Amino acid sequence: MILRIPDFYEDFSCIADKCTDSCCIGWEIDIDEDTYEYYYGLEGELGERFRKNVFTTEDGEYGLRLDPRGRCPFLDEKNLCDICSAYGEVALSEVCTEYPRTTIEYGNVMQKCLGLSCVEAGRMVFEKEEPITLVELQMTSAECDEEEDEADISWYHFLEYAQKKTFEILQDRRFTIWERMNHYLEYARKVQDVISEQDLDDPDWNTEQIDYQMVEVDQHMPAEESMDSFEQYQDRIYMLEQMDILNAEWRGVKNELAGQNEEAYLQGMKEWLASGDCVERDYEHLLVYFNYRYLLRTIYDYNFLTRARLAVTYTRIIRDMDALRYRKQNGHYDRADRIDVVRIFSKEMEHSEENYKIAEEEIEFSSF
């Protein structure tokens, strides 16, 4: 089996009590069945604490009740895990071990990344000056659950080739990030046209149909030309209004975004794009991240273009948040702000499958 990961993935390590936004505070905490049986059988105070705070969901799964401050019952006052302190990391539940890692698995490939709701993952991404690259490792101990037929393999190779091309487009620094964004969407439409015209009863997926060349131009698009209209901005706000609110922090940000009038939005975005704090590399990393995390979901529904548009829309929402924070802070925005803005967005938008589905539906039938 092949493990595909970003180049920084294996360097990740939880910073525990040094984290400014612990994943053990304010999050639903699921407990897998093996961990439930292990913790339930613990003797002493930790076992008693678990049995007191565990509950069963309507679906027959397990979770932990948070204390009145929204903290995991095993989190001590120094923001360290009592279970980990007593028994080591090997004793942690599946969700605690895996976060912030996410996985897409198909055929003989497991593709993993780090979610940007994690502060440390965000630091690793946005401190990178060079383009993100993908690494493929051979996992000799893992096997596929079932063999794939030739049609599946052809489809997988087609999408992997398309994913590779999207990386090339988004990371071609001969062009501004706003030009690359446009090329990325143009390429996604080309791929979607090929998919839509394909006879799925005879799926011979020819990658030659989705080659793409970016021709360098003498004059590049100024950042101001990448600005959206106020109507497009309002469409994004409407989409956000349809979604569940998972935490109070997001409610405040969303309300501030929704409260901007046309003049405030356009002037704020113009000032942000002209500032030295608006770093194109950050938006490159964001687009690559969203593209990498979601694009291969196309395997299951053939909807390539919507995933590309989702990557662009999510990036534009974060750019909206950037401009708002920049204006609120009177023209100040640093690396900590970059990591924090993305954390707030990811924590709200990427940890609810319902919110993700709403985003897909709105994006599929909108012009933003």
Side-chain angles (χ1 to χ4, degrees):
M1 190 170 213
I2 295 171
L3 173 63
R4 184 181 299 127
I5 52 177
D7 52 11
F8 55 85
Y9 181 92
E10 292 188 299
D11 295 329
F12 175 80
S13 179
C14 176
I15 57 176
D17 57 320
K18 299 180 180 64
C19 186
T20 56
D21 185 44
S22 172
C23 55
C24 303
I25 303 174
W27 293 75
E28 293 181 0
I29 301 176
D30 301 323
I31 300 294
D32 58 277
E33 187 171 352
D34 289 343
T35 302
Y36 171 84
E37 294 177 357
Y38 173 54
Y39 286 3
Y40 202 91
L42 289 175
E43 298 180 354
E45 192 272 336
L46 288 181
E48 182 61 30
R49 201 190 312 176
F50 176 77
R51 291 184 287 273
K52 178 181 177 181
N53 289 287
V54 71
F55 66 90
T56 305
T57 69
E58 294 180 357
D59 298 329
E61 299 178 347
Y62 305 108
L64 282 179
R65 295 185 183 88
L66 305 181
D67 73 12
R69 296 177 296 169
R71 298 166 65 89
C72 172
F74 292 107
L75 191 67
D76 71 15
E77 292 305 313
K78 296 180 180 179
N79 283 353
L80 293 172
C81 174
D82 286 336
I83 290 285
C84 189
S85 297
Y87 299 103
E89 291 186 18
V90 68
L92 292 176
S93 67
E94 182 177 331
V95 68
C96 294
T97 301
E98 279 297 300
Y99 179 80
R101 302 164 184 85
T102 66
T103 305
I104 291 179
E105 194 168 344
Y106 63 93
N108 71 332
V109 176
M110 181 184 294
Q111 180 168 292
K112 299 178 78 73
C113 72
L114 300 174
L116 294 182
S117 59
C118 170
V119 173
E120 178 63 5
R123 182 196 65 77
M124 295 175 72
V125 168
F126 294 113
E127 286 187 355
K128 281 182 67 68
E129 294 188 2
E130 67 278 8
I132 295 169
T133 60
L134 299 183
V135 178
E136 292 192 353
L137 305 173
Q138 192 69 39
M139 300 170 62
T140 56
S141 60
E143 296 181 358
C144 304
D145 292 334
E146 57 185 33
E147 291 186 3
E148 305 293 334
D149 60 31
E150 290 185 7
D152 286 330
I153 292 172
S154 179
W155 171 230
Y156 297 158
H157 287 172
F158 177 88
L159 279 184
E160 288 172 334
Y161 181 86
Q163 177 177 255
K164 179 182 176 182
K165 295 299 291 185
T166 58
F167 264 65
E168 292 174 3
I169 291 167
L170 292 173
Q171 295 177 325
D172 190 338
R173 295 183 179 179
R174 296 176 301 164
F175 301 84
T176 70
I177 189 58
W178 321 118
E179 291 169 329
R180 285 178 262 165
M181 186 183 289
N182 290 339
H183 279 286
Y184 171 63
L185 289 175
E186 183 179 333
Y187 178 69
R189 292 186 187 97
K190 176 178 180 141
V191 174
Q192 189 64 57
D193 286 345
V194 171
I195 293 173
S196 299
E197 294 169 2
Q198 181 80 18
D199 181 359
L200 300 183
D201 292 328
D202 183 24
D204 180 16
W205 297 96
N206 182 2
T207 58
E208 292 181 2
Q209 302 173 83
I210 54 171
D211 279 333
Y212 191 84
Q213 298 296 325
M214 295 172 68
V215 180
E216 195 164 9
V217 296
D218 294 332
Q219 291 186 327
H220 291 285
M221 176 194 294
E224 309 85 70
E225 291 187 16
S226 74
M227 286 179 56
D228 299 316
S229 68
F230 186 62
E231 288 72 22
Q232 289 172 308
Y233 173 71
Q234 288 180 309
D235 285 343
R236 291 196 289 273
I237 299 303
Y238 176 80
M239 182 185 79
L240 298 179
E241 296 280 11
Q242 310 312 303
M243 299 179 179
D244 292 336
I245 293 179
L246 305 184
N247 61 79
E249 184 178 36
W250 173 255
R251 185 189 302 275
V253 171
K254 181 183 70 66
N255 289 343
E256 288 181 332
L257 289 168
Q260 290 192 113
N261 61 28
E262 183 172 3
E263 181 181 1
Y265 167 71
L266 294 176
Q267 183 61 31
M269 182 59 68
K270 183 177 180 180
E271 292 174 359
W272 167 245
L273 291 172
S275 75
D277 295 323
C278 179
V279 180
E280 287 197 14
R281 183 181 69 245
D282 290 350
Y283 293 114
E284 173 191 306
H285 290 337
L286 273 172
L287 284 162
V288 165
Y289 164 78
F290 290 130
N291 180 66
Y292 177 68
R293 178 162 180 171
Y294 297 112
L295 188 66
L296 287 187
R297 288 194 181 201
T298 305
I299 283 171
Y300 309 111
D301 62 9
Y302 301 92
N303 205 340
F304 189 94
L305 179 57
T306 294
R307 301 281 150 51
R309 294 184 67 205
L310 179 129
V312 169
T313 301
Y314 278 8
T315 301
R316 283 175 169 157
I317 293 171
I318 290 171
R319 189 174 71 168
D320 297 336
M321 295 168 66
D322 292 337
L324 178 63
R325 180 173 289 206
Y326 181 77
R327 180 168 60 85
K328 284 183 60 181
Q329 296 181 167
N330 298 315
H332 174 75
Y333 191 105
D334 59 20
R335 184 59 52 198
D337 289 309
R338 158 54 60 231
I339 295 168
D340 192 51
V341 166
V342 174
R343 174 194 65 81
I344 293 170
F345 176 87
S346 178
K347 193 171 180 178
E348 180 68 22
M349 302 291 289
E350 298 196 286
H351 291 273
S352 165
E353 190 63 23
E354 183 62 30
N355 282 350
Y356 175 82
K357 289 177 180 177
I358 291 171
E360 275 201 334
E361 290 174 4
E362 291 293 327
I363 288 166
E364 186 171 2
F365 299 108
S366 73
S367 61
F368 57 90

